[in-house]
Short mmCIF file of all heavy atoms in Angstrom, two decimals:
data_model
loop_
_atom_site.label_atom_id
_atom_site.label_comp_id
_atom_site.label_asym_id
_atom_site.label_seq_id
_atom_site.Cartn_x
_atom_site.Cartn_y
_atom_site.Cartn_z
N ARG A 1368 -158.08 -81.93 -82.90
CA ARG A 1368 -158.40 -81.83 -81.49
C ARG A 1368 -157.12 -82.32 -80.72
O ARG A 1368 -156.55 -83.37 -80.94
CB ARG A 1368 -159.61 -82.73 -81.15
CG ARG A 1368 -160.91 -82.20 -81.67
CD ARG A 1368 -162.19 -82.95 -81.18
NE ARG A 1368 -163.35 -82.33 -81.67
CZ ARG A 1368 -164.00 -82.79 -82.77
NH1 ARG A 1368 -163.65 -83.76 -83.45
NH2 ARG A 1368 -165.18 -82.26 -83.12
N ASP A 1369 -156.87 -81.66 -79.71
CA ASP A 1369 -155.72 -81.95 -78.80
C ASP A 1369 -156.14 -82.61 -77.55
O ASP A 1369 -157.38 -82.77 -77.11
CB ASP A 1369 -154.90 -80.64 -78.54
CG ASP A 1369 -153.50 -80.94 -78.23
OD1 ASP A 1369 -153.18 -82.13 -77.97
OD2 ASP A 1369 -152.67 -79.99 -78.35
N LEU A 1370 -155.19 -83.11 -76.73
CA LEU A 1370 -155.49 -83.74 -75.53
C LEU A 1370 -154.58 -82.92 -74.46
O LEU A 1370 -153.56 -83.37 -74.11
CB LEU A 1370 -155.19 -85.21 -75.48
CG LEU A 1370 -155.74 -86.09 -74.39
CD1 LEU A 1370 -157.15 -85.98 -74.29
CD2 LEU A 1370 -155.34 -87.58 -74.67
N ALA A 1371 -155.31 -82.00 -73.73
CA ALA A 1371 -154.48 -81.25 -72.79
C ALA A 1371 -154.43 -81.91 -71.44
O ALA A 1371 -155.32 -81.54 -70.56
CB ALA A 1371 -155.07 -79.77 -72.68
N ILE A 1372 -153.58 -82.81 -71.18
CA ILE A 1372 -153.40 -83.51 -70.08
C ILE A 1372 -151.96 -83.40 -69.51
O ILE A 1372 -151.11 -83.15 -70.38
CB ILE A 1372 -153.94 -84.90 -70.05
CG1 ILE A 1372 -153.07 -85.67 -71.18
CG2 ILE A 1372 -155.47 -84.90 -70.40
CD1 ILE A 1372 -153.61 -87.20 -71.26
N PRO A 1373 -151.67 -83.76 -68.26
CA PRO A 1373 -150.30 -83.63 -67.93
C PRO A 1373 -149.36 -84.66 -68.69
O PRO A 1373 -149.79 -85.84 -69.15
CB PRO A 1373 -150.36 -84.19 -66.43
CG PRO A 1373 -151.70 -83.91 -66.05
CD PRO A 1373 -152.55 -83.95 -67.18
N GLY A 1374 -148.32 -84.19 -69.13
CA GLY A 1374 -147.24 -84.85 -69.91
C GLY A 1374 -147.34 -84.81 -71.46
O GLY A 1374 -146.58 -85.38 -72.21
N ARG A 1375 -148.28 -83.86 -71.85
CA ARG A 1375 -148.61 -83.73 -73.23
C ARG A 1375 -147.35 -83.13 -73.94
O ARG A 1375 -147.13 -83.35 -75.23
CB ARG A 1375 -149.71 -82.73 -73.47
CG ARG A 1375 -149.97 -82.33 -74.94
CD ARG A 1375 -150.37 -83.42 -75.72
NE ARG A 1375 -150.61 -83.11 -77.04
CZ ARG A 1375 -149.78 -82.98 -78.08
NH1 ARG A 1375 -148.50 -83.26 -77.81
NH2 ARG A 1375 -150.06 -82.56 -79.28
N ASP A 1376 -146.43 -82.49 -73.15
CA ASP A 1376 -145.23 -81.91 -73.87
C ASP A 1376 -144.10 -82.99 -74.13
O ASP A 1376 -142.97 -82.58 -74.62
CB ASP A 1376 -144.67 -80.73 -73.03
CG ASP A 1376 -144.35 -81.17 -71.65
OD1 ASP A 1376 -144.87 -82.20 -71.15
OD2 ASP A 1376 -143.62 -80.39 -70.98
N LEU A 1377 -144.28 -84.15 -73.65
CA LEU A 1377 -143.14 -85.19 -73.97
C LEU A 1377 -143.03 -85.43 -75.35
O LEU A 1377 -144.11 -85.42 -76.27
CB LEU A 1377 -143.66 -86.47 -73.23
CG LEU A 1377 -143.66 -86.52 -71.65
CD1 LEU A 1377 -144.25 -87.75 -71.02
CD2 LEU A 1377 -142.09 -86.31 -71.21
N SER A 1378 -141.79 -85.80 -75.81
CA SER A 1378 -141.53 -86.19 -77.21
C SER A 1378 -142.26 -87.47 -77.46
O SER A 1378 -142.26 -88.45 -76.53
CB SER A 1378 -140.06 -86.27 -77.47
OG SER A 1378 -139.42 -84.95 -77.34
N GLY A 1379 -142.65 -87.65 -78.63
CA GLY A 1379 -143.28 -89.04 -79.00
C GLY A 1379 -144.77 -89.02 -79.11
O GLY A 1379 -145.31 -89.89 -79.31
N ILE A 1380 -145.31 -87.82 -78.80
CA ILE A 1380 -146.72 -87.62 -78.90
C ILE A 1380 -147.04 -86.74 -80.00
O ILE A 1380 -146.54 -85.52 -80.20
CB ILE A 1380 -147.30 -86.93 -77.66
CG1 ILE A 1380 -146.99 -87.85 -76.39
CG2 ILE A 1380 -148.85 -86.88 -77.70
CD1 ILE A 1380 -147.21 -87.27 -75.04
N HIS A 1381 -147.81 -87.14 -80.93
CA HIS A 1381 -148.03 -86.53 -82.34
C HIS A 1381 -149.49 -86.53 -82.70
O HIS A 1381 -150.23 -87.48 -82.37
CB HIS A 1381 -147.31 -87.18 -83.43
CG HIS A 1381 -145.77 -87.29 -83.17
ND1 HIS A 1381 -144.89 -86.23 -83.48
CD2 HIS A 1381 -144.97 -88.28 -82.64
CE1 HIS A 1381 -143.66 -86.61 -83.07
NE2 HIS A 1381 -143.69 -87.76 -82.64
N PHE A 1382 -149.89 -85.52 -83.53
CA PHE A 1382 -151.14 -85.54 -84.03
C PHE A 1382 -151.18 -86.62 -85.25
O PHE A 1382 -150.05 -86.78 -85.91
CB PHE A 1382 -151.54 -84.25 -84.68
CG PHE A 1382 -151.89 -83.14 -83.72
CD1 PHE A 1382 -151.12 -81.98 -83.54
CD2 PHE A 1382 -152.91 -83.27 -82.78
CE1 PHE A 1382 -151.52 -81.16 -82.56
CE2 PHE A 1382 -153.18 -82.33 -81.84
CZ PHE A 1382 -152.53 -81.20 -81.72
N ALA A 1383 -152.19 -87.32 -85.45
CA ALA A 1383 -152.27 -88.45 -86.39
C ALA A 1383 -151.89 -87.87 -87.89
O ALA A 1383 -151.22 -88.69 -88.51
CB ALA A 1383 -153.75 -88.99 -86.38
N MET A 1384 -152.47 -86.74 -88.19
CA MET A 1384 -152.15 -86.22 -89.51
C MET A 1384 -150.72 -85.77 -89.68
O MET A 1384 -150.25 -86.02 -90.89
CB MET A 1384 -153.14 -85.12 -89.86
CG MET A 1384 -153.37 -84.83 -91.38
SD MET A 1384 -153.97 -86.54 -92.03
CE MET A 1384 -155.47 -86.79 -91.24
N ASP A 1385 -150.02 -85.46 -88.83
CA ASP A 1385 -148.59 -85.30 -88.87
C ASP A 1385 -147.94 -86.64 -89.31
O ASP A 1385 -146.97 -86.69 -90.11
CB ASP A 1385 -147.91 -84.63 -87.68
CG ASP A 1385 -148.44 -83.26 -87.40
OD1 ASP A 1385 -148.77 -82.65 -88.39
OD2 ASP A 1385 -148.29 -82.79 -86.20
N TYR A 1386 -148.35 -87.68 -88.51
CA TYR A 1386 -147.74 -88.95 -88.66
C TYR A 1386 -147.99 -89.49 -90.00
O TYR A 1386 -147.14 -89.87 -90.83
CB TYR A 1386 -148.24 -89.82 -87.61
CG TYR A 1386 -147.86 -91.23 -87.69
CD1 TYR A 1386 -146.65 -91.73 -87.62
CD2 TYR A 1386 -148.86 -92.30 -87.84
CE1 TYR A 1386 -146.32 -93.11 -87.59
CE2 TYR A 1386 -148.57 -93.64 -87.91
CZ TYR A 1386 -147.14 -94.04 -87.91
OH TYR A 1386 -146.96 -95.40 -87.92
N LEU A 1387 -149.27 -89.40 -90.48
CA LEU A 1387 -149.68 -90.02 -91.77
C LEU A 1387 -149.17 -89.35 -92.94
O LEU A 1387 -148.60 -89.88 -93.89
CB LEU A 1387 -151.18 -90.00 -91.89
CG LEU A 1387 -151.92 -90.95 -90.88
CD1 LEU A 1387 -153.47 -90.70 -91.04
CD2 LEU A 1387 -151.53 -92.37 -91.11
N SER A 1388 -149.04 -87.96 -92.77
CA SER A 1388 -148.58 -87.19 -93.94
C SER A 1388 -147.08 -87.40 -94.13
O SER A 1388 -146.70 -87.35 -95.36
CB SER A 1388 -148.88 -85.58 -93.83
OG SER A 1388 -148.19 -85.21 -92.67
N LYS A 1389 -146.37 -87.50 -93.08
CA LYS A 1389 -144.86 -87.77 -93.26
C LYS A 1389 -144.68 -89.10 -93.94
O LYS A 1389 -143.72 -89.36 -94.74
CB LYS A 1389 -144.21 -87.53 -92.00
CG LYS A 1389 -144.15 -86.07 -91.59
CD LYS A 1389 -143.44 -85.89 -90.25
CE LYS A 1389 -143.31 -84.37 -89.87
NZ LYS A 1389 -142.80 -84.04 -88.52
N GLN A 1390 -145.33 -90.12 -93.52
CA GLN A 1390 -145.19 -91.50 -94.03
C GLN A 1390 -145.66 -91.34 -95.57
O GLN A 1390 -144.90 -92.04 -96.47
CB GLN A 1390 -145.97 -92.46 -93.43
CG GLN A 1390 -145.93 -93.80 -94.02
CD GLN A 1390 -144.48 -94.35 -94.19
OE1 GLN A 1390 -143.78 -94.33 -93.22
NE2 GLN A 1390 -144.21 -94.82 -95.39
N ASN A 1391 -146.72 -90.73 -95.93
CA ASN A 1391 -146.97 -90.67 -97.35
C ASN A 1391 -145.86 -89.86 -98.09
O ASN A 1391 -145.65 -90.18 -99.33
CB ASN A 1391 -148.38 -89.82 -97.57
CG ASN A 1391 -149.64 -90.63 -97.23
OD1 ASN A 1391 -149.35 -91.79 -96.79
ND2 ASN A 1391 -150.64 -90.15 -97.55
N ARG A 1392 -145.23 -88.97 -97.45
CA ARG A 1392 -144.05 -88.22 -98.25
C ARG A 1392 -143.01 -89.29 -98.40
O ARG A 1392 -142.18 -89.25 -99.43
CB ARG A 1392 -143.67 -87.10 -97.59
CG ARG A 1392 -144.75 -85.89 -97.58
CD ARG A 1392 -144.19 -84.67 -96.80
NE ARG A 1392 -145.11 -83.69 -97.12
CZ ARG A 1392 -146.16 -83.21 -96.50
NH1 ARG A 1392 -146.64 -84.01 -95.55
NH2 ARG A 1392 -146.93 -82.17 -96.90
N VAL A 1393 -142.70 -90.11 -97.40
CA VAL A 1393 -141.64 -91.14 -97.56
C VAL A 1393 -142.15 -92.08 -98.62
O VAL A 1393 -141.17 -92.46 -99.57
CB VAL A 1393 -141.38 -91.87 -96.18
CG1 VAL A 1393 -140.62 -93.15 -96.37
CG2 VAL A 1393 -140.99 -91.00 -95.18
#
Side-chain angles (χ1 to χ4, degrees):
R1368 290 192 176 93
D1369 206 344
L1370 191 58
I1372 58 176
R1375 175 62 180 87
D1376 58 342
L1377 289 168
S1378 294
I1380 304 171
H1381 304 274
F1382 289 119
M1384 206 50 62
D1385 291 340
Y1386 174 64
L1387 295 172
S1388 65
K1389 287 179 179 179
Q1390 176 55 51
N1391 278 9
R1392 289 179 170 90
V1393 171

